[in-house]
């Protein structure tokens, strides 16, 4: 609560000052670093006589781990308030769709502490999201979106199917145990590749299931949060398209609050590097994920260059164009698999071993 209040106070204090966005970002990034360094803070660090309180873990002992999600909401509130102070729309303007609900600011008095608190700790989305912007949340509070009961029930069925799919994979395919025990060492390159691929499928399902559960809870409460996983991870040939479909609400948040302010399409390489460096550090302060972020930044450059050299608007009707796209898609998939294997499955040393097996042996050929 102290962190939430301090962010609110700083946001209101800074108001429409031009340096407000940088100050708010600096404050919140510093908080997640301090949370990690001090492991959620200990009473004993305040005074030794308070050390006994550290044994009382409470109902939510690792709050500092999931606080990263809350931090996104704090920045959303602060940035939306800053834009409300500097870009006021006509009072008669009302949102017609989700895009409008995100973009249209409210009157400055709507950025109150009560609305801020309701948004920051909204129970269905508190632990893992999906992430809604402050503007979108308050618009839906004022003008509830009609969500048919039938749609909620169908979403429940989809959630159950995903959950049972995960159960079947874990029961019959022991790829996670093989990865954790490093039992893949000594396998052929083709077998190692399949262990890595199915671990990525498990990671996708492991994230999809809680995100869909919490979104289902929000839908039942009448709040239409963004869908995080809009397509299967194996159904992508574009690196940029992959990241628009994986953790979509986070992608929309990143585009609005970081990618566009840093420069967006006018400075794509700098913006992409800034985005994936932040994403890696936001997930975990580790070399493995920092390497993952930089690999992603490196691997999207060829696709960005290809789009500039062969824009679809000019060449999409050419008979050879789809074949060039297919070749590019193969390399994109391989590069995305490599980066995600480093970040979430085998790590840097594991991918080095896999590369040696694939390119340093006859079996890999």
């Amino acid at each position: 609560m102290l962190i939430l209040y301090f962010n609110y106070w700083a946001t209101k204090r800074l108001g429409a000052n031009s340096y407000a966005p940088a100050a708010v970002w600096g404050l919140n990034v510093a908080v997640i670093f301090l949370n990690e360094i001090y492991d959620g803070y200990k009473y004993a660090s305040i005074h030794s006589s308070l050390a006994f309180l550290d044994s009382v873990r409470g109902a939510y002992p690792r709050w500092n781990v999931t606080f990263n999600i809350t931090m996104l909401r704090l920045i959303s509130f602060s940035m939306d308030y800053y834009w409300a102070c500097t870009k006021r729309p006509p009072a008669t303007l009302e949102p017609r769709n989700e895009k409008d609900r995100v973009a249209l600011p409210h009157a400055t008095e709507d950025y109150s502490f009560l609305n801020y608190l309701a948004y920051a700790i909204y129970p269905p989305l508190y632990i893992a999201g999906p992430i809604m912007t402050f503007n979108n949340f308050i618009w839906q509070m004022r003008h509830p979106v009609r969500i048919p009961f039938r749609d909620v029930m169908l979403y429940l069925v989809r959630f159950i199917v995903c959950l049972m799919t995960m159960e079947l994979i874990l029961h019959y395919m022991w790829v996670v145990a093989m990865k954790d025990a490093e039992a893949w060492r000594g396998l052929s390159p083709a077998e190692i590749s399949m262990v890595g691929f199915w671990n990525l499928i498990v990671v996708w399902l492991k994230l999809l299931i809680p995100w869909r559960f919490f979104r289902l809870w929000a839908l039942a409460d009448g709040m239409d949060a963004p869908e995080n996983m809009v397509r299967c991870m194996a159904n992508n040939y574009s690196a940029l398209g992959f990241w628009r479909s994986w953790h979509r609400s986070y992608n929309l948040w990143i585009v609005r609050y970081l990618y566009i302010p840093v420069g967006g399409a006018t400075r794509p390489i700098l913006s992409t590097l800034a985005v994936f460096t932040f994403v890696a550090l936001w997930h975990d302060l580790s070399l493995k994920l920092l390497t993952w972020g930089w690999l992603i930044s490196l691997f999207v450059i060829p696709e960005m260059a290809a789009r500039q050299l062969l824009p679809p608007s000019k060449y999409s009707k050419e008979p050879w164009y789809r074949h060039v796209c297919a070749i590019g898609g193969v390399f994109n998939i391989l590069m995305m698999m490599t980066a995600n294997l480093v970040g979430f499955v085998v790590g840097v040393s594991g991918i080095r071993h896999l590369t040696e097996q694939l390119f340093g042996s006859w079996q890999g050929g």
Side-chain angles (χ1 to χ4, degrees), residues 194-210:
M194 292 311 297
V195 169
F197 176 78
W198 278 100
N199 266 284
L200 291 177
I201 293 290
V202 170
V203 169
W204 179 77
L205 281 168
K206 184 172 70 174
L207 296 172
L208 177 142
I209 288 168

Side-chain angles (χ1 to χ4, degrees), residues 206-241:
K206 184 172 70 174
L207 296 172
L208 177 142
I209 288 168
W211 284 338
R212 287 204 171 166
F213 171 78
F214 290 122
R215 183 170 187 261
L216 175 64
W217 184 3
L219 288 172
D221 190 47
M223 190 66 66
D224 186 11
E227 174 63 71
N228 264 343
M229 296 292 200
V230 295
R231 65 196 302 176
C232 178
M233 59 142 287
N235 184 25
N236 287 278
Y237 68 89
S238 163
L240 296 173

Side-chain angles (χ1 to χ4, degrees), residues 31-349:
V31 166
I32 63 170
F33 271 87
L34 290 172
N35 288 349
E36 179 73 18
I37 293 169
Y38 292 102
D39 193 25
Y41 313 105
K42 304 295 182 185
Y43 287 103
S45 63
I46 301 173
H47 196 274
S48 58
S49 63
L50 300 175
F52 73 96
L53 292 173
D54 290 327
S55 62
V56 183
R57 304 292 290 171
Y60 196 37
R62 301 191 68 205
W63 68 269
N64 55 302
V65 175
T66 55
F67 178 81
N68 289 11
I69 291 283
T70 304
M71 184 268 278
L72 302 180
R73 289 190 279 268
L74 304 192
I75 290 179
S76 175
F77 170 82
S78 301
M79 294 293 288
D80 284 356
Y81 176 71
Y82 169 75
W83 287 323
C85 292
T86 55
K87 304 174 184 177
R88 294 183 181 178
T92 56
L93 213 55
E94 289 191 0
R96 295 166 297 178
N97 50 43
E98 182 184 0
K99 187 176 180 180
D100 286 348
R101 292 196 301 267
V102 170
L104 292 178
H106 302 271
T108 52
E109 55 267 24
D110 289 327
Y111 295 82
S112 64
F113 185 74
L114 187 61
N115 285 341
Y116 167 72
L117 194 61
Y119 167 66
I121 61 173
Y122 178 57
L125 307 181
Y126 177 71
I127 294 177
I131 303 149
M132 296 179 67
T133 67
F134 179 82
N135 284 349
N136 188 3
F137 181 83
I138 298 302
W139 276 122
Q140 291 197 48
M141 292 285 286
R142 292 173 58 181
H143 304 281
V145 177
R146 182 180 174 275
I147 305 171
F149 179 75
R150 179 176 177 272
D151 290 354
V152 178
M153 289 297 100
L154 286 174
Y155 199 80
L156 172 60
V157 171
R158 292 174 62 194
F159 167 74
I160 293 172
V161 169
C162 293
L163 182 62
M164 295 310 299
T165 301
M166 181 67 146
E167 289 294 326
L168 287 170
I169 290 175
L170 292 178
H171 185 75
Y172 290 105
M173 302 178 69
W174 309 319
V175 291
V176 177
M178 293 174 69
K179 179 261 295 183
D180 291 341
E182 296 192 358
W184 44 268
R185 295 184 183 275
L187 297 179
S188 71
E191 290 169 335
I192 294 174
S193 298
M194 292 311 297
V195 169
F197 176 78
W198 278 100
N199 266 284
L200 291 177
I201 293 290
V202 170
V203 169
W204 179 77
L205 281 168
K206 184 172 70 174
L207 296 172
L208 177 142
I209 288 168
W211 284 338
R212 287 204 171 166
F213 171 78
F214 290 122
R215 183 170 187 261
L216 175 64
W217 184 3
L219 288 172
D221 190 47
M223 190 66 66
D224 186 11
E227 174 63 71
N228 264 343
M229 296 292 200
V230 295
R231 65 196 302 176
C232 178
M233 59 142 287
N235 184 25
N236 287 278
Y237 68 89
S238 163
L240 296 173
F242 176 86
W243 292 114
R244 293 189 186 107
S245 305
W246 178 294
H247 206 170
R248 177 173 168 268
S249 68
Y250 186 42
N251 177 267
L252 294 172
W253 186 96
I254 285 284
V255 170
R256 176 169 171 80
Y257 299 115
L258 182 58
Y259 182 76
I260 292 176
V262 168
T266 58
R267 291 185 287 182
I269 295 177
L270 175 63
S271 301
T272 302
L273 184 61
V275 162
F276 282 106
T277 299
F278 168 74
V279 169
L281 294 175
W282 177 83
H283 277 87
D284 189 14
L285 302 180
S286 67
L287 175 62
K288 181 173 72 172
L289 281 174
L290 192 59
T291 304
W292 167 82
W294 288 340
L295 281 173
I296 293 293
S297 302
L298 178 66
F299 290 164
V300 299
I301 290 175
E303 182 176 342
M304 294 166 66
R307 289 189 175 200
Q308 292 292 323
L309 291 171
L310 302 170
S313 58
K314 186 175 180 181
Y315 296 105
S316 61
K317 294 184 179 179
E318 297 291 338
W320 49 265
Y321 186 78
R322 63 194 300 267
H323 300 290
V324 172
C325 289
I327 294 170
V330 170
F331 285 101
N332 268 337
I333 290 168
L334 289 173
M335 289 188 290
M336 285 189 291
M337 282 184 63
T338 300
N340 284 290
L341 285 170
V342 170
F344 300 103
V345 182
V346 297
V348 178
S349 61

